[in-house]
Amino acid sequence: MNFQLTEERQMLQDSLRRFLRDRYSVAARNQALTDPSGYSPEIWGQLADLGVIGALLPEAAGGYGGAGFDIATVFEELGRAGVVEPVLDSAVLCGVLLCGSGTDPISPRDQKMIDRLIAGDLQLAFAHGEPASRYERTWIETKAVDEGDDILLTGRKSVVVNAEAADLLIVAAREAGSPGDRGGLSLFCVRPDAPGLRMRGSALLAGGRAAEMELDCVRLSKSARIGAAGNAADRIEGTIAAAEVALAAETLGAMETAVRLTMDYLTTRQQFGRPIGTFQALQHRVAEMLIELEQARSAVINAAGHLEDLPLVRDRHIAAARNLIGRTGRHIAEEAIQLHGGIAMTAEYELAHIAKRIVLAEHRFGDADTQLERFIDLTAA
Amino acid sequence: MDLNYSTEELAFRAEVRAFLEAKLPQDLLDAVRLGRGIGKEGHDRWHQILNDQGWLAPTWPQQYGGCGWNAVQRHIFEEECCRAHAPRIVPFGLTMLAPVLQKFGSDAQRAYFLPKILSGEHWWCQGYSEPGAGSDLASLSTRAVRDGDHYIVNGQKTWTTLGQFANWIFCLVRTDPQAKQQEGISFLLIDMATPGIEVRPIILLDGTHEVNEVWFNDVRVPAENLVGEENKGWTYAKYLLTHERTNIAGVGFSQAGLEAVKRLARHQLHRGRPLIENPHFAARLARAEIDLMAMSTTNLRIISAAAQGQAPGVESSMLKVKGTEIRQEINDLARRAAGVYALPFASEAVAGDNNALSSPEGSEAVAAQYFNNRKLSIFGGSNEIQKNIIAKVSLGGRT
Ligand SMILES: Cc1cc2nc3c(=O)[nH]c(=O)nc-3n(C[C@H](O)[C@H](O)[C@H](O)COP(=O)(O)OP(=O)(O)OC[C@H]3O[C@@H](n4cnc5c(N)ncnc54)[C@H](O)[C@@H]3O)c2cc1C
Ligand SMILES: Cc1cc2nc3c(=O)[nH]c(=O)nc-3n(C[C@H](O)[C@H](O)[C@H](O)COP(=O)(O)OP(=O)(O)OC[C@H]3O[C@@H](n4cnc5c(N)ncnc54)[C@H](O)[C@@H]3O)c2cc1C
């Protein structure tokens, strides 16, 4: 066994860490947070130039990575720095969707989108979840109705991250079957200004923006379909698996920062005439945070290392990792705030942002309880 | 033992409920129910309504305008207010400063300040904490130097809750730097309109402006605003803190919070079924409710002991720890129930404009509240400090 990163990944990690340390100051991030797009277009371009987006996608699609460990390496660094740019939504979710499952060849149009994405010239958003889907991947009610040469989309999408900034939306809709069925799902490329499409945007508590979406007989040509008709479930599940590895690694990176900030603080903050880190009540709690951090790191390694496995094996490891990170993440975020005292609660202190990233990551693709249920189901299967 | 409320107590509850149904303005009710702020105007309006009813000061003796309620009635009142989504009564003047003035203030101070607390003319804030003096409150360094019939105050307070709305601040100041830490502190009442005071906002992680820094630069405070004796302020400060802590148990808040989670979980669907039927969620919810049931009885036991004249000691620390843990757990359940709808930054919702989102009712502010209420285990003497107190009192004689 070898738990070392390959040389290429080590180089990517080093250069990304250096770039973020030099360029992604708290001030730069705060600037990005107030940008109307919810991120900094400048940083986005620089991340693309560094090769970050390409590293998330396979060579067959023009990228230079795309394996679980590539994704985890990049996202651990993004998480460590608390990056708010929509790498997860634009690059992983939509990028991996466009790359497809391997059996479905990539159409020339999709390949062009991937190329532009890797170059940093394209923003995308995945309109997937709906008011009643909670975290279920195939609970899709939005209907795609065949009308001769056209398709009509009708339905609602909720909390579509990066929707307002996206040049194009990838919309999941149902051509047949009922909510929860794996069959009958398709993906469509939709322009954000398509007639019948309405969006209401909002900032997100941990950075970035999202929108509620209504599709009222949005008319598309059949060529807007991505991949084969009614067969998108595999693609969606495979994509979300990659996104969950990314999110787990990002949260791990953020947890590292939270623990580091806490340790720094405990050695400097003086109360009762001594550093508060000399109180054993706090020392033991830091020790517990450190133990959990190691567990979280192992969980991410398990998930990343199984991303290319058969779906059943893959998803079981991912559910396990996300459950563990959900639990330990909450614990570390809450402890980090508590051990800091009031200062941690202020918007301008780094930990406030990091803690929000950690806790709210649980609300994407399934919280710890949902992942626990998935793990049980997959174990029984 | 009788765990049931007496007929009189039940009648009292009905009276409170009827009052709240008739007098609590709908806009305030909605704002509180959905976790939005109500601003100074909202607080003032509710303050006025309660004062008109004579129900503003349940903890005050009747001679000063209190309601004359016993501890159980006060508990019922608080429970009903939370249940009805009434705004929280800002505690600084009514339940923190007033008991200190009633016990340690001069006749002139009582006559001047207490009526103005009731009328709402004075809005008080608490100037205890400083950047270098948090848990170690006694290390505070804001100086007050006697100059004829004035004190000259210099220094900085921080974390001053709602200081932006306040026109008076009660402060702990150092009057004798030579004395041992706890012995050189005095308790001073300061008009915030005095020249030399500056209030600067601190924005919290949920985007709210709730706390402030207060700076004092050669602020001249009349010597008659000293409470009690010079250098005896620590005694008064500690007396005030026990009052602060019993209110922090927040049984009523937890009960209302639990109801809110249940409402949300009934409307959120999971695989086509209400979330509240999901066994994992239901189990977590049940656990929180079981903890709250016991805690509510702990609270009543302590209240009734207090009603019989026993001063709450270490019990108030226990209530603070357990009460805040339960409230925070309920906040956590609420954010879980909201699912993906916990993600949006509901600053729009918190500010009262809900047009930006179409999220399920009750979900807009849950994540912001979860983060904001991390403060519960930090302020009013952090939970670690409370545990130190519990351990010291319990083991103290033996080690
Ligand atoms: C089943 C069993 C098998 C064992 N086998 C062996 C063996 O084969 N060979 C051998 O040499 N020994 C053996 N031990 C002994 C074992 O190593 C001791 O029990 C252990 O070192 C703890 O010592 P103690 O029981 O005296 O507890 P104490 O040292 O008295 O500790 C009591 C409690 O106080 C805590 N504590 C003590 N100091 C601190 C501190 N500074 N900070 C915080 N907490 C503290 C402890 O963690 C513990 O919870 C065995 C013990 C057991 C129970
Ligand atoms: C939202 C908010 C509102 C507030 N409102 C007010 C207000 O209106 N007026 C006011 O005066 N103050 C107010 N406070 C201040 C509050 O009382 C302090 O934050 C609190 O006393 C803790 O101090 P600190 O933040 O400096 O943390 P520190 O004292 O620096 O503590 C940091 C950590 O160390 C722990 N710790 C410290 N000493 C020990 C020890 N001996 N043993 C074990 N653990 C220890 C603490 O528990 C905490 O976990 C408010 C605070 C907040 C966050």
Side-chain angles (χ1 to χ4, degrees):
Chain A
M1 283 211 176
N2 179 5
F3 287 106
Q4 301 294 319
L5 288 181
T6 60
E7 209 173 309
E8 292 83 26
R9 288 183 187 132
Q10 188 65 56
M11 276 166 57
L12 175 66
Q13 183 178 60
D14 291 345
S15 61
L16 182 53
R17 188 176 298 187
R18 217 173 313 114
F19 169 78
L20 293 170
R21 196 181 49 216
D22 297 345
R23 306 297 305 278
Y24 210 76
S25 63
V26 173
R29 184 204 299 135
N30 287 346
Q31 189 64 39
L33 285 174
T34 54
D35 193 284
S37 62
Y39 68 97
S40 156
E42 193 194 341
I43 295 279
W44 183 261
Q46 291 166 341
L47 288 172
D49 290 346
L50 266 179
V52 164
I53 300 171
L56 303 169
L57 300 172
E59 277 176 44
Y64 16 89
F69 286 118
D70 299 307
I71 294 174
T73 304
V74 166
F75 273 87
E76 187 180 336
E77 293 313 310
L78 298 178
R80 189 192 303 277
V83 168
V84 299
E85 276 58 30
V87 187
L88 183 75
D89 294 278
S90 210
V92 180
L93 279 176
C94 295
V96 177
L97 271 185
L98 288 171
C99 292
S101 54
T103 49
D104 236 358
I106 304 172
S107 75
R109 178 209 50 196
D110 294 354
Q111 185 59 57
K112 229 161 74 200
M113 285 201 276
I114 296 170
D115 294 343
R116 288 181 59 203
L117 182 68
I118 291 175
D121 294 338
L122 188 71
Q123 278 295 346
L124 299 166
F126 183 26
H128 175 234
E130 302 183 0
S133 33
R134 202 162 167 88
Y135 301 118
E136 295 300 318
R137 276 112 227 241
T138 55
W139 201 276
I140 288 171
E141 299 177 15
T142 296
K143 282 206 163 53
V145 179
D146 206 310
E147 260 221 354
D149 288 341
D150 291 344
I151 300 267
L152 289 184
L153 293 186
T154 298
R156 282 180 61 189
K157 295 288 172 182
S158 53
V159 196
V160 183
V161 181
N162 204 36
E164 296 159 297
D167 306 299
L168 280 170
L169 305 161
I170 300 179
V171 178
R174 186 168 283 291
E175 301 202 65
S178 333
D181 290 351
R182 298 186 78 256
L185 294 176
S186 296
L187 298 163
F188 300 94
C189 215
V190 180
R191 290 167 52 100
D193 58 0
L197 175 69
R198 289 203 309 135
M199 264 190 221
R200 276 188 304 277
S202 162
L204 298 177
L205 189 48
R209 290 185 65 80
E212 295 300 293
M213 229 180 247
E214 272 172 41
L215 301 120
D216 183 11
C217 292
V218 173
R219 185 174 289 276
L220 308 171
S221 110
K222 277 197 172 140
S223 65
R225 195 190 276 121
I226 297 170
N231 253 334
D234 283 350
R235 242 191 228 239
I236 292 172
E237 286 166 352
T239 297
I240 291 180
E244 291 211 78
V245 168
L247 197 61
E250 180 186 334
T251 310
L252 170 67
M255 286 158 71
E256 286 164 4
T257 300
V259 174
R260 178 181 57 74
L261 287 170
T262 305
M263 295 202 293
D264 290 349
Y265 194 75
L266 291 189
T267 53
T268 49
R269 172 68 169 168
Q270 302 265 337
Q271 292 282 275
F272 304 99
R274 53 193 181 129
I276 55 175
T278 59
F279 297 120
Q280 199 183 53
L282 305 190
Q283 288 170 348
H284 281 194
R285 287 162 69 170
V286 170
E288 277 164 21
M289 290 164 81
L290 287 166
I291 295 168
E292 293 201 334
L293 194 56
E294 290 313 313
Q295 282 284 84
R297 178 177 303 289
S298 297
V300 169
I301 291 171
N302 283 345
H306 288 93
L307 183 60
E308 288 86 47
D309 271 339
L310 290 174
L312 209 71
V313 180
R314 172 194 76 193
D315 290 347
R316 189 165 178 273
H317 279 93
I318 289 174
R322 291 267 293 143
N323 169 266
L324 187 132
I325 298 249
R327 286 185 281 130
T328 55
R330 175 190 173 194
H331 181 242
I332 284 181
E334 291 181 352
E335 288 288 88
I337 293 175
Q338 182 68 23
L339 299 195
H340 272 84
I343 191 76
M345 302 270 306
T346 60
E348 65 179 37
Y349 185 61
E350 175 77 357
L351 179 65
H353 175 77
I354 295 292
K356 287 192 286 187
R357 302 278 312 169
I358 295 172
V359 171
L360 291 173
E362 219 197 318
H363 292 261
R364 300 210 64 189
F365 317 121
D367 62 6
D369 292 346
T370 309
Q371 303 288 0
L372 185 73
E373 286 172 4
R374 258 183 215 148
F375 182 81
I376 294 169
D377 289 347
L378 289 161
T379 305
Chain B
M1 256 189 225
D2 184 0
L3 283 175
N4 296 312
Y5 287 104
S6 67
T7 326
E8 294 76 35
E9 286 162 348
L10 290 176
F12 177 73
R13 190 184 284 282
E15 186 190 353
V16 173
R17 198 170 287 188
F19 160 77
L20 290 165
E21 271 165 19
K23 294 292 173 61
L24 174 58
Q26 189 66 36
D27 62 321
L28 297 184
L29 185 161
D30 288 339
V32 171
R33 187 167 51 91
L34 299 176
R36 297 178 191 153
I38 59 168
K40 181 172 191 305
E41 183 280 329
H43 281 294
D44 283 341
R45 193 147 40 100
W46 183 233
H47 186 106
Q48 218 48 62
I49 291 168
L50 285 173
N51 194 33
D52 291 346
Q53 176 77 7
W55 285 4
L56 186 58
T59 57
W60 292 19
Q62 265 172 306
Q63 63 182 120
Y64 300 122
C67 313
W69 291 341
N70 63 29
V72 175
Q73 286 175 304
R74 291 202 294 267
H75 172 76
I76 290 173
F77 179 70
E78 189 201 300
E79 234 178 30
E80 288 300 315
C81 283
C82 290
R83 190 181 163 275
H85 309 291
R88 186 178 79 117
I89 303 168
V90 179
F92 303 108
L94 278 162
T95 56
M96 295 190 193
L97 177 63
V100 172
L101 290 181
Q102 285 157 11
K103 193 167 165 95
F104 303 106
S106 66
D107 286 341
Q109 285 169 343
R110 281 192 282 263
Y112 179 74
F113 288 112
L114 293 178
K116 289 185 164 55
I117 292 175
L118 286 182
S119 72
E121 187 180 335
H122 287 177
W123 180 312
W124 285 90
C125 60
Q126 179 183 31
Y128 273 24
S129 304
E130 299 182 7
S135 298
D136 186 10
L137 186 57
S139 70
L140 61 93
S141 58
T142 293
R143 283 278 281 130
V145 179
R146 185 73 185 241
D147 176 27
D149 51 7
H150 282 80
Y151 286 98
I152 316 287
V153 179
N154 279 287
Q156 183 202 344
K157 294 292 174 182
T158 190
W159 307 122
T160 319
T161 299
L162 301 184
Q164 72 268 36
F165 299 152
N167 48 12
W168 281 78
I169 181 168
F170 54 88
C171 286
L172 293 178
V173 292
R174 190 161 298 286
T175 34
D176 182 358
Q178 257 69 57
K180 265 179 44 194
Q181 267 195 355
Q182 275 93 334
E183 286 162 20
I185 292 170
S186 297
F187 195 105
L188 208 54
L189 311 176
I190 305 179
D191 181 346
M192 290 183 74
T194 321
I197 297 182
E198 194 195 334
V199 179
R200 297 183 197 163
I202 298 173
I203 304 301
L204 291 184
L205 77 177
D206 59 335
T208 53
H209 173 200
E210 163 177 322
V211 290
N212 303 270
E213 296 177 334
V214 182
W215 298 72
F216 299 89
N217 186 10
D218 286 332
V219 175
R220 291 181 67 81
V221 180
E224 71 244 30
N225 287 3
L226 178 77
V227 174
E229 288 175 54
E230 195 175 89
N231 297 332
K232 289 281 187 301
W234 191 248
T235 315
Y236 320 141
K238 280 203 306 192
Y239 180 76
L240 181 148
L241 280 176
T242 56
H243 281 264
E244 182 175 354
R245 269 168 215 155
T246 34
N247 292 327
I248 271 172
V251 173
F253 291 116
S254 286
Q255 282 164 344
L258 205 57
E259 289 312 310
V261 175
K262 288 181 182 171
R263 261 199 314 278
L264 192 53
R266 265 184 226 118
H267 290 106
Q268 285 287 81
L269 297 178
H270 178 241
R271 297 184 186 172
R273 310 284 314 156
L275 177 65
I276 201 156
E277 295 173 12
N278 173 292
H280 291 104
F281 192 83
R284 271 178 190 265
L285 196 63
R287 218 150 41 209
E289 185 160 359
I290 289 167
D291 286 347
L292 180 56
M293 285 161 67
M295 146 85 176
S296 160
T297 298
T298 310
N299 191 43
L300 284 171
R301 281 166 53 215
I302 292 169
I303 284 173
S304 77
Q308 277 146 37
Q310 289 172 22
V314 73
E315 293 83 359
S316 72
S317 292
M318 293 182 174
L319 280 180
K320 155 110 213 266
V321 172
K322 200 72 225 171
T324 54
E325 282 175 2
I326 291 175
R327 272 178 79 184
Q328 289 176 335
E329 180 62 18
I330 291 171
N331 286 145
D332 186 69
L333 285 169
R335 79 163 168 89
R336 273 169 200 286
V340 290
Y341 287 107
L343 290 165
F345 184 9
S347 57
E348 295 91 351
V350 173
D353 163 19
N354 192 28
N355 294 324
L357 289 171
S358 58
S359 48
E361 188 186 274
S363 71
E364 304 95 341
V366 291
Q369 263 168 0
Y370 161 85
F371 285 111
N372 185 284
N373 271 348
R374 299 316 307 167
K375 71 188 174 194
L376 298 178
S377 47
I378 296 172
F379 68 17
S382 72
N383 284 15
E384 288 73 32
I385 296 298
Q386 306 304 329
K387 288 178 190 172
N388 284 352
I389 293 171
I390 295 167
K392 194 172 160 197
V393 170
S394 323
L395 297 168
R398 307 188 201 181
T399 55

